């Protein structure tokens, strides 16, 4: 049986860890296992990888390379033991175990050194691990099969942000093939870790022909703890044969069970499911139902909710306008706003245009508490900001004139519909936008809102990394006058975002900014110099000035970008830069930083000597 073979290989690898990897060369015990692994490799490629690893380990290698190969084979073996069922050598799968997890597109091509940091981050506790894990995901390291068991283990990480990131990003990226494995290893009486496991299952879906996985879900739905039951029930929505059970569960005495059933019924989207949800959204479970519909807003369900939403918005109210009545009114409107928050629908667009342009026609708005009214109106504005129509822009600008809080929504819509010069003229070239010093509370709020809107438009996120727009887009989509306006207001981040060649004020502005900027501003300073087309000699001089103004006694690390830029200075300046950086060393208190700077000096001196 394959597990016996794998356990035997594990024992031999442990022996080599103790005795030393040098003894692996021509080791007869390992050579005896290689053909057996190769035979299994005909059915399961991962066993072929193990066979290749063992062959390389026993072959001719330098001592350091053999030690690294031992690490690679051991890590792959541990991953296989964590993810494989029992597979017979002739390829049959034992009846009591699942078929192996077939993760297409995965490799074992990364070195142990590349994976070790991630493996350690997901095995230990302490600070800095989240950045390691997210960076590894962005680099594609989790496409290595050997990290899969660590990704599963991350669901129970003590740092909830890592656990949530694994459930939301890492595991879904493996695809539906992992669902049977996740369900096979589930503890139906477990806690938050098992809930996250089911969250992944729900996002990936269960193959309707995978009866064993469905049985596991039903067992969890019937016998698990309340939260596990809820999460398991929510996974059953795509499967018609469970609809009657879902309707029963939606009437259960336990709130978590009803919550899971609503989530599944929203996905089910049958006539019976929609009728039950429509009934429940008008009762005590309104918010639970709203969240369920928001997760899977079917068009037929939206068609049922829109008339109810409009009716409640237009409803005339009598009686006292007190806190209790305001709260009751919000309880009627909030669930519908939640259910429809991610919906795009022609009738919803018409309704929101009416609401934004003629609030008096919707008496409920005027009776809401201020905070609730703002929340609803910002949802309206957010919807219209994504609507590329002159009507939407007009009503957003009307809202913007009334309250600067709506400026970001109007600005977003205007940027898509107006020419670059028209956008600048609208927001800067007239009125309060010309003032360097705001003179009223409203203009102060408007200018802050405009600066915030610019940040949202000019910087984009790639995963968790924020970066400026490509230079060609800056020059094509933004009026050049913005740059001067922002320099007048000393907005370094935004100046950096809009920097472009040809502005004579940019270099003097950056030179002045260096004198007063904080350490974390270095990226914006040098990105602005790059985008503005500054000469390499000027950038090198300003970089050294930046380094010279640091308080090295209180500095314990350098940004990688700073060290990289030092190493890229022009060859004819390498010796001078090395001398000036070396002069900083007596001020450096932290040994690791001093070693880093010494290495930079050494590298620059070698470059200078080679010129």
């Amino acid at each position: 049986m394959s597990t016996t073979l794998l356990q035997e290989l594990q024992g031999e690898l442990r022996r080599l860890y103790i005795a030393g990897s040098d003894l692996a060369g021509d080791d007869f015990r390992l050579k005896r296992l290689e053909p057996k692994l190769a035979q299994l490799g005909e059915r399961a490629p991962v066993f072929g990888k193990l066979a290749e690893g063992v062959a390389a380990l026993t072959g001719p290698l330098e001592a350091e390379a053999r030690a690294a190969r031992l690490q690679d084979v051991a890590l792959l073996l541990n991953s296989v033991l964590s993810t494989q069922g029992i597979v017979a050598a002739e390829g049959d799968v034992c009846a009591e175990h699942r078929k192996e997890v077939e993760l297409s597109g995965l490799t074992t091509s990364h070195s142990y050194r590349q994976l070790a940091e991630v493996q350690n981050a997901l095995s230990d506790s302490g600070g800095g691990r989240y950045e390691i894990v997210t960076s590894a995901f962005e680099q594609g390291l989790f496409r290595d099969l050997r990290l899969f068991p660590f990704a599963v283990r991350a669901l129970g990480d003590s740092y909830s942000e890592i656990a949530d990131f694994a459930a939301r990003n890492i595991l879904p990226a493996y695809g539906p093939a992992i669902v049977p494995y996740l369900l096979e290893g589930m503890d139906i009486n477990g806690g938050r870790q098992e809930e996250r496991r089911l969250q992944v299952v729900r996002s990936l879906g269960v193959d309707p022909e995978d009866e064993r996985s469905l049985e596991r879900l039903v067992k969890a739905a019937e016998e698990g703890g309340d939260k596990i039951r809820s999460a398991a029930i929510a996974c059953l929505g795509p499967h018609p044969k469970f609809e009657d059970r879902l309707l029963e569960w939606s009437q259960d005495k336990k709130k978590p069970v009803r919550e899971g059933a609503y989530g599944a019924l929203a996905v089910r989207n049958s006539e019976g499911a929609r009728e039950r949800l429509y009934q429940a959204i008008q009762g005590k479970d309104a918010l639970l139902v709203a969240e369920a519909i928001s997760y899977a807003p079917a068009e037929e369900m939206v068609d049922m909710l829109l008339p109810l939403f409009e009716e409640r918005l237009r409803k005339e109210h009598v009686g006292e306008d007190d806190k209790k009545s305001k709260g009751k009114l919000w309880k009627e409107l909030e669930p519908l706003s939640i259910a429809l928050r991610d919906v795009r629908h022609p009738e919803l667009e018409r309704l929101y245009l009416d609401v934004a342009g003629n609030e008096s026609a919707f008496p409920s708005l005027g009776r809401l508490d201020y905070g609730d009214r703002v929340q609803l109106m910002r949802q309206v504005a957010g919807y219209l900001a994504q609507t590329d129509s002159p009507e939407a822009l007009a009503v957003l600008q009307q809202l913007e004139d009334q309250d600067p809080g709506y400026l970001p929504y109007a600005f977003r819509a205007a940027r898509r519909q107006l020419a670059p010069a028209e956008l600048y003229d609208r927001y800067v070239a007239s009125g309060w936008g010309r003032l360097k010093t705001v003179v009223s509370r409203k203009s102060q709020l408007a200018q802050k809102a405009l600066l915030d809107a610019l940040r949202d438009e000019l910087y984009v996120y790639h995963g968790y990394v924020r970066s400026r727009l490509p230079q060609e887009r800056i020059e094509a989509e933004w009026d050049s006058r913005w740059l001067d306006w922002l320099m007048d207001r000393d907005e370094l981040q935004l100046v950096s975002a809009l920097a472009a060649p040809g502005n004579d004020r940019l270099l003097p502005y950056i030179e002045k900014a260096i004198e007063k900027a904080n350490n974390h501003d270095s990226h914006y300073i040098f990105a602005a110099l790059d985008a503005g087309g500054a000469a390499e000699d000027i950038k090198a001089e300003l970089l050294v000035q930046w380094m010279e103004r640091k308080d090295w006694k209180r500095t314990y690390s350098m940004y990688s970008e700073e060290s990289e830029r030092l190493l890229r200075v022009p060859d004819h300046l390498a010796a001078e830069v090395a001398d000036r950086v070396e002069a900083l060393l007596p001020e450096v208190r932290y040994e690791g930083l001093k070693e880093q700077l010494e290495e930079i000096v050494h590298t620059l001196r070698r470059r200078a000597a080679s010129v």
Side-chain angles (χ1 to χ4, degrees):
M1 306 299 286
S2 66
T3 51
T4 303
L5 181 61
L6 293 175
Q7 288 165 1
E8 185 177 354
L9 176 59
Q10 188 178 49
E12 297 303 328
L13 295 182
R14 285 174 178 164
R15 173 177 61 80
L16 291 173
Y17 269 115
I18 297 170
S21 59
D22 287 343
L23 298 180
D26 293 322
D27 186 283
F28 76 94
R29 294 189 182 97
L30 287 177
K31 285 190 170 184
R32 179 173 53 82
L33 297 178
E34 181 191 340
K36 298 178 182 180
L37 291 167
Q39 182 184 4
L40 286 173
E42 296 175 3
R43 295 286 183 178
V46 71
F47 290 97
K49 290 280 188 182
L50 281 171
E52 293 171 7
V54 169
L57 182 60
T58 57
L61 284 175
E62 295 293 330
E64 184 176 346
R66 197 182 305 280
R69 177 62 67 178
L70 175 61
Q71 295 277 40
D72 289 339
V73 175
L75 182 56
L76 178 57
L77 174 61
N78 289 334
S79 300
V80 173
L81 286 170
S82 298
T83 61
Q84 303 297 311
I86 297 177
V87 186
E90 59 273 15
D92 295 333
V93 181
C94 293
E96 70 272 19
H97 287 272
R98 299 211 53 77
K99 186 180 179 181
E100 64 173 283
V101 180
E102 298 175 356
L103 302 177
S104 60
L106 297 194
T107 69
T108 55
S109 59
H110 297 96
S111 69
Y112 176 77
R113 182 173 297 177
Q114 288 176 293
L115 303 182
E117 185 180 34
V118 189
Q119 178 183 350
N120 291 334
L122 292 175
S123 301
D124 300 329
S125 58
R129 299 184 301 120
Y130 180 76
E131 290 73 16
I132 293 172
V133 172
T134 55
S135 176
F137 178 72
E138 290 161 9
Q139 295 172 45
L141 293 184
F142 282 97
R143 302 307 299 169
D144 193 296
L145 175 65
R146 291 166 291 178
L147 283 186
F148 173 64
F150 293 94
V152 177
R153 186 186 305 169
L155 293 172
D157 197 277
S158 58
Y159 186 51
S160 62
E161 290 197 26
I162 290 179
D164 291 337
F165 183 81
R168 188 174 56 250
N169 298 91
I170 299 174
L171 286 165
Y174 289 111
I178 70 171
V179 168
Y181 172 77
L182 292 175
L183 291 174
E184 194 69 34
M186 179 176 59
D187 176 7
I188 64 173
N189 293 307
R192 187 72 183 97
Q193 178 176 356
E194 305 308 315
E195 290 180 61
R196 293 190 183 100
R197 186 184 291 256
L198 287 166
Q199 175 187 331
V200 178
V201 171
R202 186 184 186 194
S203 68
L204 294 173
V206 180
D207 186 342
E209 296 182 3
D210 185 357
E211 290 295 336
R212 184 171 178 81
S213 290
L214 290 174
E215 288 173 6
R216 291 284 297 167
L217 274 180
V218 172
K219 181 178 176 65
E222 293 176 338
E223 302 176 17
D226 287 351
K227 291 185 177 180
I228 297 299
R229 290 187 67 193
S230 178
I233 290 169
C235 297
L236 296 173
H239 306 282
K241 65 181 181 180
F242 297 112
E243 182 170 332
D244 289 342
R245 299 290 304 278
L246 294 174
L247 291 170
E248 290 177 17
W249 280 322
S250 75
Q251 305 278 2
D252 197 273
K253 293 180 179 180
K254 293 187 174 181
K255 181 178 176 180
V257 174
R258 299 197 305 274
E259 182 178 9
Y262 295 140
L265 288 170
V267 173
R268 178 87 288 282
N269 191 35
S270 65
E271 183 177 356
R274 292 192 297 271
E275 289 177 356
R276 176 69 186 110
L277 293 173
Y278 186 78
Q279 176 193 45
I281 203 171
Q282 299 178 70
K284 65 178 182 180
D285 286 341
L287 291 177
L288 297 181
V289 178
E291 292 290 352
I293 295 173
S294 177
Y295 179 87
E299 184 176 355
E300 298 87 347
M301 191 75 241
V302 172
D303 288 338
M304 296 175 69
L305 295 179
L306 280 172
L308 179 62
F309 192 29
E310 182 167 5
E311 175 189 328
R312 290 184 174 181
L313 285 169
R314 293 186 181 276
K315 183 178 177 181
E316 293 282 356
H317 295 268
V318 294
E320 293 294 327
D321 192 16
D322 55 15
K323 185 176 181 179
K324 184 177 179 179
S325 63
K326 290 176 183 289
K328 182 180 178 181
L329 177 57
W330 182 238
K331 284 184 178 180
E332 293 179 357
L333 292 174
E334 184 185 18
L336 294 167
S337 71
I338 291 172
L340 299 170
R341 65 188 169 197
D342 296 319
V343 168
R344 304 298 298 181
H345 192 286
E347 282 301 303
L348 187 59
E349 179 179 332
R350 176 198 59 76
L351 175 59
Y352 282 168
L353 283 171
D354 288 346
V355 168
N358 186 19
E359 289 187 35
S360 61
F362 299 88
S364 292
L365 285 175
R367 289 178 61 93
L368 285 174
D369 182 76
Y370 174 79
D372 297 333
R373 178 185 174 280
V374 168
Q375 181 176 330
L376 182 56
M377 288 302 297
R378 287 188 175 175
Q379 180 170 322
V380 171
Y383 184 102
L384 295 177
Q386 300 177 56
T387 304
D388 292 331
S389 72
E391 296 82 5
L393 179 57
V395 296
L396 285 171
Q397 289 174 340
Q398 178 181 323
L399 289 175
E400 170 191 67
D401 291 339
Q402 297 168 6
D403 183 347
Y406 295 103
L407 186 148
Y409 305 101
F411 186 86
R412 197 180 313 148
R415 199 174 92 73
R416 290 202 304 271
Q417 296 187 47
L418 301 181
E422 293 175 327
L423 182 70
Y424 180 85
D425 290 339
R426 161 76 188 179
Y427 285 96
V428 175
S430 61
W432 59 265
R434 293 181 299 175
L435 302 176
K436 290 186 180 181
T437 304
V438 292
V439 295
S440 70
R441 173 66 174 166
K442 183 175 181 179
S443 59
Q444 184 180 32
L445 291 173
Q447 190 163 121
K448 181 182 183 303
L450 177 56
L451 293 171
D452 289 342
L454 284 168
R455 289 187 186 91
D456 289 341
E457 293 293 322
L458 290 169
Y459 284 99
V460 294
Y461 281 90
H462 301 286
Y464 285 79
V465 179
R466 191 176 83 153
S467 58
R468 72 195 295 271
L469 293 176
Q471 190 64 28
E472 59 271 18
R473 287 189 57 188
I474 293 294
E475 297 179 25
E477 299 175 10
W478 291 85
D479 191 288
S480 61
R481 292 174 291 175
W482 282 107
L483 183 56
D484 288 293
W485 186 78
L486 290 165
M487 285 191 287
D488 288 339
R489 282 149 187 80
D490 195 18
E491 290 288 338
L492 176 60
Q493 289 186 18
L494 294 174
V495 167
S496 178
L498 283 172
N503 191 308
D504 294 336
R505 295 180 57 197
L506 181 60
L507 182 57
Y509 171 82
I510 293 299
E511 290 174 335
K512 187 175 180 180
I514 286 177
E515 298 174 2
K516 59 183 180 180
N518 297 314
N519 279 340
H520 62 263
D521 289 329
S522 62
H523 169 75
Y524 301 109
I525 287 172
F526 295 103
L529 290 172
D530 289 342
E536 292 301 318
D537 287 11
I538 292 175
K539 289 194 288 187
E541 173 59 28
L542 292 177
L543 175 61
V544 177
Q545 289 182 21
W546 174 261
M547 303 300 289
E548 291 172 337
R549 66 172 294 279
K550 285 177 178 280
D551 183 356
W552 290 101
K553 291 182 179 179
R554 297 183 179 181
T555 301
Y556 59 87
S557 67
M558 280 176 59
Y559 289 108
S560 60
E561 183 180 4
E562 292 173 333
S563 58
E564 290 167 5
R565 286 182 178 275
L566 283 171
L567 293 170
R568 293 201 308 265
V569 297
D571 288 342
H572 67 277
L573 295 176
E576 177 189 345
V577 173
D579 290 341
R580 292 169 69 178
V581 173
E582 187 174 42
L584 303 174
L585 293 176
E587 299 295 316
V588 180
R589 297 179 58 182
Y590 294 92
E591 199 60 35
L593 178 58
K594 181 176 288 188
E595 291 176 0
Q596 184 180 3
L597 288 171
E598 287 173 343
E599 180 62 30
I600 290 172
V601 170
H602 179 66
T603 302
L604 290 174
R605 290 206 190 287
R606 282 189 302 174
R607 279 181 53 201
S610 66
V611 175

